[in-house]
Amino acid sequence: MPKSRIRKKADYTPPPAKQATAIKLTNRAWVAPVMLAMFVIGLAWIVVFYVTDGTLPIDSLDNWNIVVGFGFIAAGFGVSTQWK
C-alpha cells in the first residue's frame, strides 16, 4: 500500500516585537501600616470604652463608641483589600 505524503507544518514565527509597554506598578507600602493602625485604633477605642465604664473616649456617644471602634476595624479590613 502506498504511503501518504507527510504534510509539514509551517514553523511558528512569533509576531514582530512591539514596544514593551511598561506596566506602572503603584507602590503600596502604605497599605500594611494603615491597615494595622486602623485595627489597633479600633481595638483601643473599644477597650478604653469598656475599661472606663463608658465615660471615655467620647462620653456623649454613649454605646455608639462601640460602633465607632468597629468602624475603625471595618475600615482596616477595607484598606486590606488594596494589599498585594
Side-chain angles (χ1 to χ4, degrees):
M1 172 167 256
K3 194 172 183 182
S4 64
R5 187 173 45 131
I6 298 173
R7 295 182 202 148
K8 185 175 184 218
K9 279 187 166 181
D11 291 333
Y12 173 74
T13 55
K18 293 181 180 179
Q19 286 285 1
T21 56
I23 299 173
K24 185 177 181 182
L25 297 176
T26 57
N27 187 1
R28 297 187 187 242
W30 60 272
V31 174
V34 170
M35 175 185 64
L36 292 175
M38 293 290 210
F39 288 155
V40 169
I41 290 170
L43 181 64
W45 194 288
I46 294 170
V47 167
V48 167
F49 174 74
Y50 277 116
V51 168
T52 61
D53 292 328
T55 58
L56 287 176
I58 300 175
D59 190 28
S60 63
L61 288 180
D62 201 31
N63 286 334
W64 284 96
N65 279 305
I66 297 171
V67 175
V68 172
F70 278 112
F72 275 111
I73 294 171
F77 280 114
V79 170
S80 71
T81 62
Q82 300 299 314
W83 196 6
K84 287 188 178 186

